[in-house]
């Protein structure tokens, strides 16, 4: 199996109540790829500027991340500067420079064409659709989006959703997309737009999945400290799609286990600034935390 | 086994976006007793005024609720009028008349003295302690409290908590009581005050329990509509303590199953105004929803 991800690659400067990091690796596609690479080889589609560190690209390749689809364009890499509050659910964007990302048009190299699984991280739905157009035989199509596209590009987004299998969004986006405040009603409406499954991220409360008549809820891992929440949702998606690609098991149980692996990856990344924790992570850490999730949720357990 | 509950009995007038109810049965002890009565006989301690409907007292007795400890005092029953917003986590108290509850001093009848399990619903911690003083051999001591006592009666509350086994509070109260924003740190601090287990209610996100090194999280049941949230937390506590009293199983697994039964009862009461839904409930409904909770949370399931 093979997994393609398209989305942003960035250099982030982040301030949280726990400290600060400058020019950390960032962007949805990059967080996704790092998390998914623990489960399966990943093929990335994105763009970086001339200022993007070469050593980082080498490091990503060593981790089984294929960068054939990452264009190196003249100009500057997408840069984001943000500040999180004591309540880490609240953040301000202090500075945003799209750089080479402003004119990004995803192009899949021929070597990616046989990919079966794809994740369309949060970018313009027209660009997300153009990636699908370049894949002859996709099997599992995952997708993220955000308030901006829901409000500003609704027709393109609805057109895209009709082609998507699994939508991964947060609760606020689910409410905005559906026009329903209640999460059960919101999910039903979203499923009627196309996806067979919707995964709604609820931050420190975990994830709830709706698919047909089935509902699955998994709490977030209770952490003593969240150092930097950046990338949590993208690592969730990466762990989820990575495990699903590895196992090839799209049964209800297979999807549930993949959701837990996604939750595991989301719980790790927030323990340190940027992707630092992911870069130190070993496979055994992942399996240990998966077992902790089982114990955390097992009614007859412990 | 036998289960005593002490707390308020009230007549509630409630307005929600779904409608309105006047003079509905209310109060923490009453919601608790109704929920617990599906699992075990309940002995109530409280006070009602001369205006409290006789037929209701008869109905409670028919449900196996012992009212020997419910005093009928001259004067008016505790009355609360409140309004919930579209976001049902927000409510305003429009009117409050303590009536006979203002001078309530719990007195346990001799027939209650052999009770082993007790739940101290949210009242003045000095009164909660006085109930413990009247019980020669309590086994499981559950307790609720609220912001008012945490802020205004801290010494009495801390004294009480040293005697309590299981504290049931909401997340805001847990933060206020511990002075910790992070829920893991908050729980650790609360456990150091005495309880062996703390159950933190998180509204539409369910309940998380901390006991020693063990953590258990159960989501709330995803409902299409919340008609009236009044009593949800008290019914949670009633289902929890009721099942624990029925089973006598205080192992980790026994407590987890009781937490799920509590969640079941909390999920039912909000489906209609006041305790209406509880009064129509059959035991089979409870078992059916318990199985739905299992399916909702089972990683390898569905």
């Amino acid at each position: 199996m093979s997994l393609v991800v398209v989305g942003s690659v960035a250099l982030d400067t982040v301030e949280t109540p726990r400290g600060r990091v400058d020019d950390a690796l960032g962007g949805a596609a990059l967080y996704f790829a790092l998390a998914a690479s623990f489960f399966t080889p990943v093929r990335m589609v994105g763009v970086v500027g001339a200022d993007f560190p070469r050593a980082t690209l080498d490091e990503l390749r060593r981790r089984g991340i294929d960068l054939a689809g990452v264009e190196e364009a003249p100009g500057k890499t997408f840069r984001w500067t943000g500040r999180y509050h004591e309540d880490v659910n609240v953040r301000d964007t202090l500075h945003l420079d799209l750089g080479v990302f402003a004119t990004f048009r995803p192009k899949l190299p021929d070597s990616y064409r046989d990919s079966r699984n794809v994740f369309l991280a949060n970018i313009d739905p027209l660009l997300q659709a153009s990636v699908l157009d370049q894949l002859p035989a996709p099997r599992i199509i995952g997708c993220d989006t955000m308030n901006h596209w829901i409000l500003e590009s609704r027709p393109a987004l609805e057109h895209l959703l009709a082609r998507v299998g699994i939508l991964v969004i947060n609760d606020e986006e689910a409410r905005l997309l559906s026009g329903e405040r209640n999460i059960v009603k919101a999910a039903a409406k979203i499923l009627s737009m196309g996806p067979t499954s919707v995964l709604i991220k609820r931050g420190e409360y975990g994830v709830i999945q709706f698919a047909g008549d089935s509902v699955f809820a998994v709490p977030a891992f209770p952490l003593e400290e969240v150092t930097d929440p950046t990338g949590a949702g993208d690592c969730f998606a990466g762990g989820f799609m990575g495990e699903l690609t590895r196992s090839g098991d799209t049964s209800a149980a297979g999807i549930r286990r993949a959701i837990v692996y996604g939750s595991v990856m989301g719980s790790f990344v927030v323990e340190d600034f940027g992707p630092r924790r992911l870069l130190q992570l070993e496979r055994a850490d992942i399996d240990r935390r998966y077992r902790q999730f089982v114990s955390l949720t097992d009614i007859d357990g412990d």
Side-chain angles (χ1 to χ4, degrees), chain A residues 82-162:
Chain A
R83 183 193 291 142
Y84 290 87
H85 294 237
E86 192 57 53
D87 173 356
V88 290
N89 299 307
V90 184
R91 78 176 187 189
D92 301 326
T93 288
L94 301 180
H95 186 70
L96 191 75
D97 183 354
L98 290 177
V100 295
F101 194 64
T103 53
F104 172 52
R105 297 290 173 272
K107 278 182 288 294
L108 266 64
D110 285 342
S111 59
Y112 284 18
R113 299 276 166 143
D114 62 351
S115 303
R116 303 300 306 276
N117 298 346
V118 57
F119 190 75
L120 311 168
N122 163 41
I123 50 173
D124 185 329
L126 288 173
L127 299 185
Q128 292 175 309
S130 81
V131 171
L132 289 190
D133 295 338
Q134 298 174 62
L135 276 175
R139 183 168 170 253
I140 305 174
I141 302 174
C143 179
D144 189 2
T145 190
M146 72 180 290
N147 292 357
H148 176 74
W149 310 117
I150 297 170
L151 292 169
E152 306 297 332
S153 304
R154 182 141 195 133
L157 181 59
E158 288 189 357
H159 198 72
L160 176 73
L161 287 180

Side-chain angles (χ1 to χ4, degrees), chain A residues 4-5 9 19 22 34 43 78 93 115 131 141 149-150 160 181 202 278 286 288 299:
Chain A
V4 172
V5 59
V9 182
D22 288 89
L34 278 173
R43 294 165 166 178
F78 179 12
T93 288
S115 303
V131 171
I141 302 174
W149 310 117
I150 297 170
L160 176 73
R181 197 182 157 75
R202 307 198 278 185
L278 288 188
I286 295 172
R288 192 177 314 114
I299 294 176

Side-chain angles (χ1 to χ4, degrees), chain A residues 13-21 80 82-92 94 224-230 270-273:
Chain A
T13 295
V14 180
E15 222 180 286
T16 85
R18 311 280 158 261
R20 175 193 170 93
V21 65
W80 176 72
R83 183 193 291 142
Y84 290 87
H85 294 237
E86 192 57 53
D87 173 356
V88 290
N89 299 307
V90 184
R91 78 176 187 189
D92 301 326
L94 301 180
E224 278 208 20
E225 195 158 284
V226 170
T227 298
D228 176 6
T230 310
V270 303
E271 290 185 341
D272 205 342
F273 283 99

